[in-house]
Every structure is written in C-alpha cells, then in structure tokens.
Amino acid sequence: MTIFTNFLRSLLLTIIFSFVAPILLVGGGLLFLFLIGHFPGLQELTEAIATGIVHFLATFGSGTPLRGLFVISLTCSFVGTLFDIYVCYRCQILRIDS
C-alpha cells in the first residue's frame, strides 16, 4: 500500500510542478524584460521581444495570451505526468529483474 501512496504523491507533485514551471518561466521572462526596459535605449528592443512572446502565447490560446499560457502549462503537466509514470514503471521492472 505504501508503494501506491508514494506513487500518487509523486504523481501529484509532478503534475503541480510541471504546471507551475512554464508559468513561472514566462512570467519571470516578461518581468525581466519589463525591468530591463527601464534602461535608456533598450525600451524598443524589450517591447518588441515582449510583444513577440505575447503573440506566441495568443497563438496557442485562440487570441488570448493567458489562455495560451494555460494550454502550454497543461501540456507540460501532461508530459511530466507521462514521464513520471514511465519512470515508476521502469523502476519496478528493474527491481523485479534484480
């Protein structure tokens, strides 16, 4: 029973961290661009990069950048979950073969 609860705990943590990681990455990148944009001469460059990121997110979100960020986060969460299931399966197979 403890193997199953450890598996569920691992799966839940993987789902949460895989969902939050892209949000923090994109949010941190946009915050970094916002802060760098306050330096003289860099405002146009950082604005163009931030606009490109927002347009990229809007592509995945049917015109809404926030929805695009959630779609990308859900996809990363799904892939992380599949990877965690594979690792657990592989660990059990290697334990049986030993």
Side-chain angles (χ1 to χ4, degrees):
M1 188 67 177
T2 60
I3 293 174
F4 184 67
T5 56
N6 287 340
F7 171 70
L8 286 181
R9 184 180 327 131
S10 171
L11 200 62
L12 182 66
L13 286 173
T14 300
I15 290 170
I16 291 170
F17 286 133
S18 295
F19 182 80
V20 171
I23 294 174
L24 291 178
L25 183 68
V26 171
L30 289 175
L31 179 67
F32 177 73
L33 288 173
F34 174 73
L35 293 175
I36 294 298
H38 288 323
F39 289 114
L42 293 177
Q43 184 175 8
E44 293 85 15
L45 177 67
T46 57
E47 195 173 303
I49 294 171
T51 303
I53 292 172
V54 168
H55 285 303
F56 175 78
L57 292 174
T59 301
F60 288 103
S62 300
T64 307
L66 187 60
R67 188 180 300 167
L69 184 59
F70 283 135
V71 166
I72 291 172
S73 295
L74 284 173
T75 305
C76 288
S77 179
F78 180 69
V79 170
T81 303
L82 289 176
F83 183 70
D84 190 47
I85 291 171
Y86 169 74
V87 167
C88 181
Y89 170 75
R90 186 74 179 153
C91 182
Q92 286 180 351
I93 294 298
L94 290 176
R95 195 177 312 150
I96 290 171
D97 288 343
S98 318

Coordinates of all heavy atoms in Angstrom, one line a residue:
M1 N 0.8 -1.2 0.0 CA 0.0 0.0 0.0 C 0.9 1.3 0.0 O 0.5 2.3 -0.6 CB -0.9 0.0 1.2 CG -1.9 1.0 1.2 SD -3.1 0.8 -0.1 CE -4.2 2.1 0.2
T2 N 2.0 1.2 0.6 CA 2.9 2.4 0.7 C 3.4 2.7 -0.7 O 3.7 3.9 -1.0 CB 4.0 2.2 1.7 OG1 4.8 1.1 1.3 CG2 3.5 2.0 3.1
I3 N 3.6 1.7 -1.5 CA 4.2 1.9 -2.9 C 3.1 2.8 -3.7 O 3.5 3.7 -4.4 CB 4.5 0.6 -3.6 CG1 5.7 -0.1 -2.9 CG2 4.8 0.9 -5.1 CD1 6.0 -1.4 -3.4
F4 N 1.9 2.4 -3.5 CA 0.8 3.1 -4.2 C 0.7 4.6 -3.7 O 0.5 5.5 -4.5 CB -0.5 2.4 -4.1 CG -1.6 3.0 -4.9 CD1 -1.6 2.9 -6.2 CD2 -2.7 3.6 -4.2 CE1 -2.6 3.5 -7.0 CE2 -3.7 4.2 -4.9 CZ -3.7 4.1 -6.3
T5 N 0.7 4.8 -2.4 CA 0.6 6.2 -1.9 C 1.9 7.0 -2.3 O 1.7 8.2 -2.6 CB 0.5 6.2 -0.4 OG1 1.6 5.4 0.2 CG2 -0.8 5.5 0.0
N6 N 3.1 6.3 -2.3 CA 4.2 7.1 -2.8 C 4.1 7.4 -4.3 O 4.5 8.5 -4.7 CB 5.5 6.2 -2.6 CG 5.9 6.1 -1.1 OD1 5.5 7.0 -0.3 ND2 6.7 5.1 -0.8
F7 N 3.5 6.5 -5.1 CA 3.3 6.8 -6.5 C 2.4 7.9 -6.7 O 2.6 8.8 -7.5 CB 2.8 5.5 -7.2 CG 2.4 5.7 -8.6 CD1 3.3 6.0 -9.6 CD2 1.0 5.7 -8.9 CE1 2.9 6.2 -10.9 CE2 0.6 5.9 -10.2 CZ 1.6 6.2 -11.2
L8 N 1.3 7.9 -5.9 CA 0.3 9.0 -6.0 C 0.9 10.3 -5.6 O 0.6 11.4 -6.2 CB -1.0 8.7 -5.2 CG -1.9 7.6 -5.8 CD1 -3.1 7.4 -4.9 CD2 -2.3 8.0 -7.2
R9 N 1.7 10.3 -4.5 CA 2.3 11.6 -4.1 C 3.3 12.1 -5.1 O 3.3 13.3 -5.4 CB 3.0 11.3 -2.7 CG 3.6 12.6 -2.2 CD 4.3 12.4 -0.9 NE 3.8 11.4 0.0 CZ 4.6 10.4 0.5 NH1 5.9 10.4 0.3 NH2 4.0 9.5 1.3
S10 N 4.0 11.2 -5.7 CA 5.0 11.6 -6.7 C 4.3 12.1 -8.0 O 4.7 13.1 -8.5 CB 5.9 10.4 -7.1 OG 6.6 10.7 -8.3
L11 N 3.2 11.5 -8.3 CA 2.4 11.9 -9.5 C 1.8 13.3 -9.2 O 1.8 14.2 -10.1 CB 1.3 10.9 -9.8 CG 0.7 10.9 -11.1 CD1 1.8 10.6 -12.2 CD2 -0.4 9.8 -11.2
L12 N 1.2 13.5 -8.0 CA 0.6 14.8 -7.7 C 1.6 15.9 -7.7 O 1.4 17.0 -8.3 CB -0.1 14.7 -6.4 CG -0.8 16.0 -5.9 CD1 -2.0 16.3 -6.9 CD2 -1.3 15.9 -4.5
L13 N 2.8 15.7 -7.1 CA 3.9 16.7 -7.1 C 4.4 17.0 -8.6 O 4.6 18.1 -8.9 CB 5.0 16.3 -6.3 CG 4.8 16.3 -4.8 CD1 5.9 15.7 -4.0 CD2 4.6 17.8 -4.3
T14 N 4.5 16.0 -9.4 CA 4.9 16.2 -10.8 C 3.9 17.0 -11.5 O 4.2 17.9 -12.3 CB 5.1 14.8 -11.4 OG1 6.1 14.0 -10.7 CG2 5.5 15.0 -12.9
I15 N 2.6 16.7 -11.3 CA 1.5 17.5 -12.0 C 1.6 18.9 -11.6 O 1.6 19.8 -12.5 CB 0.2 16.9 -11.7 CG1 0.0 15.5 -12.4 CG2 -1.0 17.8 -12.1 CD1 -1.2 14.8 -11.9
I16 N 1.8 19.2 -10.3 CA 1.8 20.6 -9.8 C 3.0 21.3 -10.3 O 2.9 22.4 -10.9 CB 1.7 20.6 -8.3 CG1 0.3 20.2 -7.8 CG2 2.0 22.0 -7.8 CD1 0.2 19.9 -6.3
F17 N 4.2 20.7 -10.2 CA 5.4 21.4 -10.6 C 5.5 21.6 -12.1 O 6.0 22.6 -12.6 CB 6.7 20.7 -10.0 CG 6.9 20.9 -8.6 CD1 7.1 19.8 -7.7 CD2 6.8 22.2 -8.0 CE1 7.3 20.0 -6.4 CE2 7.0 22.4 -6.7 CZ 7.2 21.3 -5.8
S18 N 5.0 20.6 -12.8 CA 5.1 20.7 -14.3 C 4.1 21.7 -14.8 O 4.3 22.3 -15.9 CB 4.7 19.4 -14.9 OG 5.7 18.4 -14.6
F19 N 3.0 22.0 -14.1 CA 2.1 23.0 -14.4 C 2.6 24.4 -14.1 O 2.5 25.4 -14.9 CB 0.7 22.8 -13.8 CG -0.3 23.8 -14.1 CD1 -1.0 23.7 -15.3 CD2 -0.6 24.9 -13.3 CE1 -2.0 24.6 -15.7 CE2 -1.6 25.8 -13.7 CZ -2.3 25.6 -14.9
V20 N 3.2 24.6 -12.9 CA 3.7 25.9 -12.5 C 5.0 26.3 -13.1 O 5.2 27.5 -13.3 CB 3.9 25.8 -10.9 CG1 4.5 27.1 -10.4 CG2 2.5 25.6 -10.3
A21 N 5.8 25.4 -13.6 CA 7.1 25.8 -14.1 C 7.0 26.7 -15.4 O 7.7 27.7 -15.4 CB 7.9 24.5 -14.4
P22 N 6.2 26.4 -16.4 CA 6.1 27.3 -17.5 C 5.5 28.6 -17.2 O 5.9 29.6 -17.7 CB 5.1 26.5 -18.5 CG 5.1 25.1 -18.1 CD 5.4 25.1 -16.6
I23 N 4.6 28.7 -16.2 CA 4.0 29.9 -15.8 C 5.1 30.8 -15.2 O 5.2 32.0 -15.5 CB 2.8 29.7 -14.8 CG1 1.7 29.0 -15.5 CG2 2.4 31.0 -14.2 CD1 0.5 28.6 -14.6
L24 N 5.9 30.2 -14.3 CA 7.0 31.0 -13.7 C 8.1 31.4 -14.7 O 8.6 32.5 -14.6 CB 7.6 30.2 -12.5 CG 6.8 30.0 -11.3 CD1 7.5 29.1 -10.3 CD2 6.4 31.3 -10.7
L25 N 8.3 30.5 -15.6 CA 9.4 30.8 -16.7 C 8.9 32.0 -17.5 O 9.7 32.9 -17.8 CB 9.6 29.6 -17.5 CG 10.7 29.7 -18.5 CD1 12.1 29.9 -17.9 CD2 10.7 28.5 -19.5
V26 N 7.7 31.9 -18.0 CA 7.2 33.0 -18.9 C 7.0 34.3 -18.1 O 7.4 35.4 -18.6 CB 5.9 32.6 -19.6 CG1 5.3 33.7 -20.3 CG2 6.2 31.4 -20.6
G27 N 6.4 34.2 -16.9 CA 6.2 35.3 -16.1 C 7.6 36.0 -15.7 O 7.7 37.2 -15.7
G28 N 8.5 35.2 -15.3 CA 9.9 35.7 -15.0 C 10.5 36.4 -16.2 O 11.2 37.4 -16.0
G29 N 10.4 35.8 -17.3 CA 10.9 36.4 -18.6 C 10.3 37.7 -18.9 O 11.0 38.7 -19.2
L30 N 9.0 37.8 -18.8 CA 8.3 39.1 -19.0 C 8.7 40.1 -18.0 O 8.8 41.3 -18.3 CB 6.8 38.9 -19.1 CG 6.3 38.1 -20.4 CD1 4.8 37.9 -20.3 CD2 6.7 38.9 -21.6
L31 N 8.8 39.7 -16.7 CA 9.2 40.6 -15.7 C 10.6 41.1 -15.9 O 10.9 42.3 -15.8 CB 9.1 39.9 -14.3 CG 9.5 40.8 -13.1 CD1 8.5 41.9 -12.9 CD2 9.6 39.9 -11.9
F32 N 11.5 40.2 -16.3 CA 12.9 40.6 -16.6 C 12.9 41.6 -17.8 O 13.6 42.6 -17.7 CB 13.7 39.4 -17.0 CG 15.1 39.7 -17.4 CD1 16.0 40.0 -16.4 CD2 15.5 39.5 -18.7 CE1 17.3 40.3 -16.8 CE2 16.8 39.8 -19.1 CZ 17.7 40.2 -18.1
L33 N 12.1 41.4 -18.8 CA 12.1 42.3 -19.9 C 11.5 43.6 -19.5 O 12.0 44.7 -20.0 CB 11.2 41.7 -21.1 CG 11.9 40.6 -21.9 CD1 10.8 40.0 -22.8 CD2 13.1 41.1 -22.6
F34 N 10.5 43.6 -18.6 CA 9.9 44.9 -18.1 C 11.0 45.7 -17.3 O 11.1 46.9 -17.5 CB 8.7 44.6 -17.2 CG 8.2 45.8 -16.5 CD1 7.4 46.7 -17.3 CD2 8.4 46.0 -15.2 CE1 6.9 47.8 -16.6 CE2 7.9 47.1 -14.6 CZ 7.1 48.0 -15.3
L35 N 11.8 45.0 -16.5 CA 12.8 45.7 -15.7 C 13.9 46.2 -16.6 O 14.5 47.3 -16.4 CB 13.3 44.8 -14.6 CG 12.3 44.4 -13.5 CD1 13.0 43.4 -12.6 CD2 11.9 45.6 -12.8
I36 N 14.4 45.4 -17.6 CA 15.4 45.8 -18.5 C 15.0 47.0 -19.4 O 15.7 47.8 -19.8 CB 15.9 44.6 -19.3 CG1 16.6 43.6 -18.4 CG2 16.9 45.1 -20.4 CD1 17.8 44.1 -17.7
G37 N 13.7 47.1 -19.6 CA 13.1 48.1 -20.5 C 13.2 49.5 -19.9 O 13.0 50.5 -20.6
H38 N 13.6 49.6 -18.6 CA 13.7 50.9 -18.0 C 15.1 51.5 -18.3 O 15.3 52.7 -18.0 CB 13.5 50.8 -16.5 CG 12.1 50.6 -16.1 ND1 11.0 51.2 -16.7 CD2 11.6 49.9 -15.1 CE1 9.9 50.8 -16.1 NE2 10.2 50.0 -15.1
F39 N 16.0 50.7 -18.8 CA 17.3 51.3 -19.2 C 17.2 52.1 -20.5 O 16.4 51.7 -21.4 CB 18.4 50.2 -19.4 CG 18.8 49.6 -18.1 CD1 18.5 48.3 -17.8 CD2 19.5 50.3 -17.1 CE1 18.9 47.7 -16.6 CE2 19.9 49.7 -15.9 CZ 19.6 48.4 -15.7
P40 N 17.9 53.2 -20.6 CA 17.7 54.0 -21.8 C 18.3 53.3 -23.0 O 19.3 52.6 -23.0 CB 18.6 55.3 -21.5 CG 18.9 55.2 -20.0 CD 18.7 53.9 -19.6
G41 N 17.5 53.4 -24.1 CA 17.9 52.8 -25.4 C 17.4 51.3 -25.5 O 17.5 50.8 -26.6
L42 N 17.0 50.7 -24.5 CA 16.5 49.3 -24.6 C 15.0 49.1 -24.6 O 14.5 48.0 -24.7 CB 17.1 48.5 -23.4 CG 18.6 48.3 -23.4 CD1 19.1 47.6 -22.2 CD2 19.1 47.6 -24.6
Q43 N 14.3 50.2 -24.5 CA 12.9 50.1 -24.4 C 12.2 49.5 -25.6 O 11.4 48.6 -25.6 CB 12.2 51.5 -24.1 CG 10.7 51.4 -23.9 CD 10.2 52.8 -23.5 OE1 10.9 53.8 -23.6 NE2 8.9 52.8 -23.2
E44 N 12.7 49.9 -26.8 CA 12.1 49.4 -28.1 C 12.4 47.9 -28.2 O 11.6 47.1 -28.7 CB 12.6 50.2 -29.3 CG 12.2 51.6 -29.3 CD 13.1 52.5 -28.5 OE1 14.2 52.1 -28.1 OE2 12.6 53.7 -28.2
L45 N 13.6 47.5 -27.9 CA 14.0 46.1 -28.0 C 13.2 45.2 -27.1 O 12.7 44.2 -27.5 CB 15.5 46.0 -27.8 CG 16.1 44.5 -27.8 CD1 16.0 44.0 -29.2 CD2 17.5 44.5 -27.3
T46 N 13.1 45.6 -25.8 CA 12.4 44.8 -24.9 C 10.9 44.7 -25.2 O 10.3 43.7 -25.0 CB 12.6 45.2 -23.4 OG1 12.3 46.6 -23.3 CG2 14.1 45.0 -23.1
E47 N 10.4 45.9 -25.7 CA 9.0 45.9 -26.0 C 8.7 45.0 -27.2 O 7.7 44.3 -27.3 CB 8.6 47.3 -26.4 CG 7.1 47.6 -26.4 CD 6.8 49.1 -26.6 OE1 7.3 49.9 -25.8 OE2 6.2 49.4 -27.6
A48 N 9.6 44.9 -28.2 CA 9.4 44.1 -29.3 C 9.5 42.6 -28.9 O 8.7 41.8 -29.4 CB 10.5 44.4 -30.4
I49 N 10.4 42.3 -28.0 CA 10.5 40.9 -27.6 C 9.3 40.5 -26.8 O 8.7 39.4 -27.0 CB 11.8 40.7 -26.7 CG1 13.0 40.9 -27.6 CG2 11.8 39.3 -26.1 CD1 14.3 40.9 -26.9
A50 N 8.8 41.4 -25.9 CA 7.6 41.0 -25.1 C 6.4 40.9 -26.0 O 5.6 40.0 -25.8 CB 7.4 42.1 -24.0
T51 N 6.3 41.7 -27.0 CA 5.2 41.6 -27.9 C 5.2 40.3 -28.7 O 4.2 39.7 -28.9 CB 5.2 42.8 -28.9 OG1 5.2 44.0 -28.2 CG2 4.0 42.8 -29.9
G52 N 6.4 39.9 -29.1 CA 6.5 38.6 -29.7 C 6.1 37.4 -28.8 O 5.5 36.5 -29.3
I53 N 6.5 37.5 -27.5 CA 6.1 36.5 -26.6 C 4.6 36.4 -26.4 O 4.0 35.4 -26.4 CB 6.8 36.6 -25.2 CG1 8.3 36.4 -25.4 CG2 6.3 35.7 -24.2 CD1 9.2 36.7 -24.2
V54 N 4.0 37.6 -26.3 CA 2.5 37.7 -26.1 C 1.8 37.2 -27.4 O 0.8 36.4 -27.3 CB 2.1 39.1 -25.8 CG1 0.6 39.3 -25.9 CG2 2.6 39.5 -24.4
H55 N 2.3 37.5 -28.5 CA 1.7 36.9 -29.8 C 1.9 35.4 -29.9 O 1.0 34.7 -30.3 CB 2.3 37.6 -31.0 CG 1.8 39.0 -31.2 ND1 0.5 39.3 -31.4 CD2 2.5 40.2 -31.3 CE1 0.4 40.6 -31.5 NE2 1.6 41.2 -31.5
F56 N 3.0 34.9 -29.4 CA 3.2 33.5 -29.4 C 2.2 32.8 -28.5 O 1.6 31.8 -28.8 CB 4.7 33.2 -29.0 CG 4.9 31.7 -28.8 CD1 5.2 30.9 -29.9 CD2 5.0 31.1 -27.5 CE1 5.5 29.6 -29.8 CE2 5.3 29.8 -27.4 CZ 5.5 29.0 -28.5
L57 N 2.0 33.4 -27.3 CA 1.0 32.8 -26.4 C -0.4 32.9 -26.9 O -1.2 32.0 -26.7 CB 1.2 33.5 -25.0 CG 2.4 33.2 -24.2 CD1 2.5 34.1 -23.0 CD2 2.6 31.8 -23.9
A58 N -0.7 34.0 -27.6 CA -2.0 34.2 -28.1 C -2.3 33.2 -29.2 O -3.5 32.8 -29.5 CB -2.2 35.6 -28.7
T59 N -1.3 32.7 -29.9 CA -1.4 31.7 -31.0 C -2.0 30.4 -30.4 O -2.9 29.8 -30.9 CB -0.1 31.4 -31.7 OG1 0.4 32.6 -32.2 CG2 -0.3 30.4 -32.7
F60 N -1.5 30.0 -29.2 CA -2.0 28.8 -28.6 C -3.3 29.0 -27.8 O -3.9 28.0 -27.4 CB -0.9 28.3 -27.6 CG 0.3 27.7 -28.4 CD1 1.5 28.4 -28.5 CD2 0.2 26.4 -28.9 CE1 2.5 27.8 -29.1 CE2 1.3 25.9 -29.6 CZ 2.4 26.6 -29.7
G61 N -3.6 30.2 -27.5 CA -4.8 30.5 -26.7 C -6.0 31.0 -27.5 O -6.8 31.7 -26.9
S62 N -6.0 30.8 -28.8 CA -7.1 31.3 -29.6 C -7.3 32.8 -29.5 O -8.4 33.4 -29.4 CB -8.4 30.6 -29.3 OG -8.3 29.2 -29.5
G63 N -6.2 33.6 -29.4 CA -6.3 35.0 -29.4 C -6.1 35.6 -28.0 O -5.9 36.8 -27.8
T64 N -6.0 34.8 -27.0 CA -5.9 35.3 -25.6 C -4.5 34.7 -25.0 O -4.4 33.5 -24.9 CB -7.0 34.8 -24.7 OG1 -8.2 35.1 -25.3 CG2 -6.9 35.4 -23.3
P65 N -3.6 35.6 -24.7 CA -2.3 35.1 -24.2 C -2.4 34.3 -22.9 O -1.7 33.3 -22.7 CB -1.5 36.4 -24.0 CG -2.2 37.4 -24.8 CD -3.6 37.0 -24.9
L66 N -3.3 34.7 -22.0 CA -3.4 34.0 -20.7 C -3.9 32.5 -21.0 O -3.4 31.6 -20.4 CB -4.3 34.7 -19.8 CG -4.4 34.2 -18.4 CD1 -3.0 34.2 -17.7 CD2 -5.4 34.9 -17.6
R67 N -4.8 32.4 -21.9 CA -5.3 31.1 -22.2 C -4.2 30.2 -22.9 O -4.1 29.0 -22.6 CB -6.5 31.2 -23.1 CG -7.2 29.8 -23.3 CD -8.4 29.9 -24.3 NE -9.4 30.8 -23.7 CZ -10.4 31.3 -24.4 NH1 -10.6 31.0 -25.7 NH2 -11.3 32.1 -23.8
G68 N -3.4 30.9 -23.7 CA -2.3 30.2 -24.3 C -1.3 29.7 -23.3 O -0.7 28.6 -23.4
L69 N -1.0 30.5 -22.3 CA -0.1 30.1 -21.2 C -0.7 28.9 -20.5 O 0.1 28.0 -20.1 CB 0.1 31.3 -20.3 CG 1.1 31.1 -19.1 CD1 2.5 30.7 -19.7 CD2 1.2 32.3 -18.3
F70 N -2.0 28.9 -20.2 CA -2.6 27.7 -19.5 C -2.6 26.5 -20.4 O -2.4 25.4 -19.9 CB -4.0 28.1 -19.1 CG -4.1 28.9 -17.9 CD1 -5.0 30.0 -17.8 CD2 -3.3 28.7 -16.8 CE1 -5.0 30.8 -16.7 CE2 -3.4 29.4 -15.6 CZ -4.2 30.5 -15.6
V71 N -2.7 26.6 -21.7 CA -2.6 25.5 -22.6 C -1.2 24.9 -22.6 O -1.1 23.7 -22.5 CB -3.1 25.9 -24.0 CG1 -2.7 24.8 -25.0 CG2 -4.6 26.2 -24.1
I72 N -0.2 25.7 -22.7 CA 1.1 25.3 -22.6 C 1.4 24.6 -21.3 O 2.1 23.6 -21.2 CB 2.1 26.4 -22.9 CG1 2.0 26.8 -24.4 CG2 3.5 26.1 -22.6 CD1 2.7 28.1 -24.8
S73 N 0.9 25.2 -20.2 CA 1.2 24.6 -18.8 C 0.5 23.3 -18.7 O 1.0 22.4 -18.1 CB 0.7 25.6 -17.8 OG 1.4 26.8 -17.8
L74 N -0.7 23.2 -19.2 CA -1.4 21.9 -19.1 C -0.7 20.8 -20.0 O -0.6 19.7 -19.5 CB -2.9 22.0 -19.6 CG -3.8 22.7 -18.7 CD1 -5.2 22.9 -19.3 CD2 -4.0 21.8 -17.4
T75 N -0.2 21.2 -21.1 CA 0.6 20.3 -21.9 C 1.8 19.8 -21.2 O 2.2 18.6 -21.2 CB 0.9 20.9 -23.3 OG1 -0.3 21.4 -23.9 CG2 1.6 19.9 -24.2
C76 N 2.6 20.7 -20.6 CA 3.8 20.4 -19.9 C 3.4 19.5 -18.7 O 4.1 18.5 -18.4 CB 4.5 21.6 -19.4 SG 5.3 22.5 -20.7
S77 N 2.3 19.7 -18.0 CA 1.9 18.9 -16.9 C 1.5 17.5 -17.4 O 1.9 16.5 -16.7 CB 0.6 19.5 -16.3 OG 0.2 18.7 -15.2
F78 N 0.9 17.4 -18.5 CA 0.5 16.1 -19.1 C 1.8 15.3 -19.4 O 1.9 14.1 -19.1 CB -0.3 16.2 -20.3 CG -0.7 14.9 -21.0 CD1 -1.6 14.1 -20.3 CD2 -0.2 14.6 -22.2 CE1 -2.0 12.9 -20.9 CE2 -0.6 13.4 -22.8 CZ -1.4 12.5 -22.2
V79 N 2.8 15.9 -20.1 CA 4.0 15.3 -20.4 C 4.8 14.9 -19.2 O 5.4 13.8 -19.1 CB 4.8 16.2 -21.4 CG1 6.2 15.7 -21.6 CG2 4.1 16.4 -22.7
G80 N 4.8 15.8 -18.2 CA 5.5 15.4 -17.0 C 4.9 14.2 -16.3 O 5.6 13.4 -15.7
T81 N 3.6 14.1 -16.3 CA 2.9 13.0 -15.7 C 3.2 11.7 -16.5 O 3.5 10.7 -15.8 CB 1.3 13.3 -15.8 OG1 1.0 14.5 -15.1 CG2 0.6 12.1 -15.1
L82 N 3.2 11.8 -17.8 CA 3.6 10.6 -18.5 C 5.0 10.1 -18.2 O 5.3 8.9 -18.1 CB 3.4 10.8 -20.0 CG 2.0 11.0 -20.6 CD1 2.0 11.3 -22.0 CD2 1.2 9.7 -20.3
F83 N 5.9 11.1 -18.1 CA 7.3 10.8 -17.8 C 7.4 10.2 -16.4 O 8.1 9.2 -16.2 CB 8.2 12.0 -17.9 CG 9.6 11.8 -17.7 CD1 10.4 11.1 -18.6 CD2 10.2 12.2 -16.5 CE1 11.7 10.8 -18.4 CE2 11.6 12.0 -16.3 CZ 12.3 11.2 -17.2
D84 N 6.7 10.7 -15.4 CA 6.7 10.1 -14.1 C 6.1 8.7 -14.0 O 6.7 7.8 -13.3 CB 5.9 11.0 -13.1 CG 6.1 10.7 -11.7 OD1 7.3 10.5 -11.3 OD2 5.1 10.6 -11.0
I85 N 5.1 8.5 -14.8 CA 4.5 7.1 -14.9 C 5.5 6.2 -15.5 O 5.7 5.0 -15.0 CB 3.2 7.1 -15.6 CG1 2.1 7.8 -14.8 CG2 2.7 5.7 -16.0 CD1 0.9 8.1 -15.6
Y86 N 6.2 6.6 -16.5 CA 7.2 5.8 -17.2 C 8.4 5.5 -16.2 O 8.9 4.3 -16.1 CB 7.8 6.5 -18.4 CG 9.0 5.8 -19.0 CD1 8.9 4.6 -19.7 CD2 10.3 6.3 -18.8 CE1 10.0 3.9 -20.2 CE2 11.4 5.7 -19.3 CZ 11.2 4.5 -20.0 OH 12.3 3.9 -20.5
V87 N 8.8 6.5 -15.5 CA 9.9 6.3 -14.5 C 9.5 5.3 -13.4 O 10.3 4.4 -13.1 CB 10.4 7.6 -13.9 CG1 11.3 7.4 -12.8 CG2 11.1 8.4 -15.0
C88 N 8.3 5.4 -12.9 CA 7.9 4.5 -11.9 C 7.8 3.0 -12.5 O 8.2 2.1 -11.8 CB 6.5 4.9 -11.4 SG 5.9 3.8 -10.1
Y89 N 7.3 2.9 -13.7 CA 7.2 1.6 -14.3 C 8.6 1.0 -14.5 O 8.8 -0.2 -14.2 CB 6.4 1.7 -15.6 CG 6.5 0.5 -16.5 CD1 5.8 -0.7 -16.2 CD2 7.3 0.4 -17.6 CE1 5.8 -1.8 -17.0 CE2 7.4 -0.7 -18.4 CZ 6.6 -1.8 -18.1 OH 6.7 -2.9 -18.8
R90 N 9.5 1.8 -15.0 CA 10.8 1.4 -15.3 C 11.5 1.0 -14.0 O 12.3 0.0 -14.0 CB 11.6 2.5 -16.0 CG 13.0 2.1 -16.5 CD 12.9 1.2 -17.7 NE 14.2 0.9 -18.1 CZ 14.6 -0.2 -18.7 NH1 13.6 -1.0 -19.1 NH2 15.8 -0.4 -19.0
C91 N 11.3 1.7 -12.9 CA 11.9 1.3 -11.6 C 11.4 0.0 -11.1 O 12.2 -0.8 -10.6 CB 11.6 2.5 -10.6 SG 12.3 2.2 -9.0
Q92 N 10.1 -0.3 -11.3 CA 9.6 -1.6 -10.9 C 10.1 -2.7 -11.7 O 10.4 -3.8 -11.2 CB 8.0 -1.5 -11.0 CG 7.4 -0.7 -9.9 CD 5.9 -0.7 -10.1 OE1 5.3 -1.2 -11.0 NE2 5.2 -0.2 -9.1
I93 N 10.3 -2.5 -13.0 CA 10.8 -3.5 -13.9 C 12.3 -3.8 -13.5 O 12.7 -5.0 -13.4 CB 10.8 -3.1 -15.4 CG1 9.3 -3.0 -15.8 CG2 11.5 -4.0 -16.3 CD1 8.5 -4.3 -15.8
L94 N 13.1 -2.8 -13.2 CA 14.5 -3.0 -12.8 C 14.5 -3.7 -11.5 O 15.5 -4.5 -11.2 CB 15.2 -1.7 -12.8 CG 15.5 -1.1 -14.2 CD1 16.1 0.3 -14.1 CD2 16.3 -2.0 -15.1
R95 N 13.6 -3.4 -10.6 CA 13.6 -4.0 -9.3 C 13.3 -5.5 -9.4 O 13.8 -6.3 -8.6 CB 12.6 -3.3 -8.4 CG 12.8 -3.7 -6.9 CD 11.8 -2.9 -6.0 NE 11.8 -1.5 -6.3 CZ 10.7 -0.7 -6.1 NH1 9.6 -1.2 -5.7 NH2 10.7 0.5 -6.4
I96 N 12.4 -5.9 -10.3 CA 12.0 -7.3 -10.5 C 13.1 -8.1 -11.1 O 13.4 -9.2 -10.7 CB 10.7 -7.4 -11.4 CG1 9.5 -6.8 -10.6 CG2 10.4 -8.8 -11.8 CD1 8.2 -6.7 -11.4
D97 N 13.8 -7.5 -12.1 CA 14.9 -8.2 -12.8 C 16.1 -8.4 -11.9 O 17.0 -9.2 -12.2 CB 15.3 -7.4 -14.0 CG 14.3 -7.5 -15.1 OD1 13.4 -8.4 -15.0 OD2 14.3 -6.6 -16.0
S98 N 16.3 -7.6 -10.8 CA 17.5 -7.8 -10.0 C 17.5 -9.0 -9.1 O 16.6 -9.6 -8.7 CB 17.7 -6.6 -9.0 OG 17.4 -5.4 -9.6

